[in-house]
Amino acid sequence: MSNLCISALLIALICSQSVLPAGGGGKTHHYTSGGSGIAIATAGFDLADVQTVEQLNALPPGMKGLIWLNESSGVTPGFIAKVKPFIGNPRLFGFRLCDEPDITGKYHSPAVRPADLKAEADWIRANVPGAVTFVTLMDMGSFEAPAFMNTFNPANTGIDLFGLDPYPVRGKAFDLDFIDRTVEAAVAAGIPLDRIVPVFQAFGGGSWKTRTGVATDVYVLPTPDQANQIFTRWATYSPAPVFDFAYAWGSQSGDVTLGSTSPEALELRLAFKAHNTAQ
């Protein structure tokens, strides 16, 4: 996409911005999933993926925790039991309610209702003041035409922040415009720019499959140069997000990630460290 096209799109998108009610504090935090606090701190991450109070309290000084709840069914006894132990903990940043909720139930079962996510976000807001609520969104469209319309947004869920994960390094292609298409689609669906969390690709290989169905269209670990281009393109839309998200540190499907020990992963980790510590 040309600079002229990006500028024209930005003019339209900036008009959609809102004022985020909770969380930021003027500093962009850097989050990655699947790694311990001490390990990720070496790469400049200051927001950790945790599930228990013990993990939260064990984080290095200056690091906070984003709690993985995996809850999307409303304010159930199980939801309350998971959230309550974190109330009042100064190391708490917020709660990641679930990952890529599917409003249709076609890809992930059962279908998730916006009303249930809203009940969870409202309960957290009332009982854990200042805690951020967050989900990553499922793209219901395609690589060529991302779509989030009539799914989840601040208006129908009350959630603070929404992660977008257009991974542009795949097969033999490196399509930065996938980021532009995804942001434009999210804003059209009612998600203001200041509610968006950029999710950076930091994995490749393994058994992950893209949704194109093409056997050769597989995710590829970005090079440091590609990662820097991803950071730069995202900065045109989110120059100072509440936090950004490197997916991922830990490997889930035999993929190479930031936490891997291969030479390629170690080089990529240096690029992320430079990004995370540039402020």
Side-chain angles (χ1 to χ4, degrees):
M1 179 175 286
S2 69
N3 289 337
L4 179 60
C5 291
I6 292 175
S7 297
L9 181 58
L10 278 173
I11 291 172
L13 297 186
I14 287 171
C15 294
S16 71
Q17 284 195 320
S18 69
V19 177
L20 185 65
K27 178 185 185 296
T28 294
H29 294 277
H30 304 289
Y31 170 75
T32 188
S33 57
S36 72
I38 293 175
I40 68 174
T42 64
F45 292 98
D46 62 354
L47 188 56
D49 175 19
V50 300
Q51 296 186 48
T52 68
V53 171
E54 291 75 20
Q55 291 173 337
L56 184 64
N57 290 338
L59 293 177
M63 185 176 288
K64 291 196 171 186
L66 182 63
I67 313 305
W68 169 238
L69 291 179
N70 194 26
E71 292 286 340
S72 58
S73 300
V75 182
T76 63
F79 167 84
I80 293 174
K82 285 184 179 181
V83 174
K84 270 191 170 181
F86 297 99
I87 294 176
N89 193 310
R91 311 298 296 277
L92 175 68
F93 179 83
F95 297 92
R96 185 180 177 193
L97 303 182
C98 58
D99 182 52
E100 296 192 340
D102 179 5
I103 200 168
T104 68
K106 178 180 178 181
Y107 303 101
H108 297 161
S109 182
V112 176
R113 302 188 309 164
D116 287 334
L117 293 182
K118 187 174 192 309
E120 292 180 6
D122 288 349
W123 195 95
I124 289 171
R125 189 168 295 108
N127 293 276
V128 199
V132 168
T133 51
F134 169 67
V135 295
T136 44
L137 289 179
M138 173 178 283
D139 179 358
M140 304 305 292
S142 65
F143 179 72
E144 294 78 12
F148 305 96
M149 195 66 71
N150 301 316
T151 60
F152 307 97
N153 58 38
N156 67 9
T157 66
I159 291 171
D160 295 317
L161 299 172
F162 296 80
L164 301 181
D165 55 7
Y167 301 133
V169 190
R170 42 206 293 163
K172 295 183 179 180
F174 176 43
D175 186 0
L176 282 173
D177 292 350
F178 187 24
I179 295 170
D180 305 318
R181 297 192 296 273
T182 300
V183 173
E184 184 176 11
V187 172
I191 302 170
L193 285 178
D194 65 347
R195 300 296 189 99
I196 290 173
V197 170
V199 183
F200 303 135
Q201 183 176 353
F203 74 98
S207 60
W208 290 119
K209 303 294 184 184
T210 69
R211 287 173 56 187
T212 64
V214 178
T216 56
D217 188 19
V218 295
Y219 295 112
V220 178
L221 185 73
T223 66
D225 178 65
Q226 288 172 332
N228 287 328
Q229 291 184 62
I230 291 170
F231 301 149
T232 298
R233 181 60 63 89
W234 262 113
T236 62
Y237 303 107
S238 298
V242 176
F243 72 94
D244 53 35
F245 180 175
Y247 184 82
W249 188 275
S251 176
Q252 291 183 298
S253 296
D255 49 335
V256 178
T257 67
L258 283 181
S260 302
T261 57
S262 69
E264 295 81 6
L266 295 175
E267 290 178 0
L268 183 61
R269 198 183 305 170
L270 291 175
F272 271 87
K273 182 176 182 178
H275 166 77
N276 294 344
T277 58
Q279 296 185 119

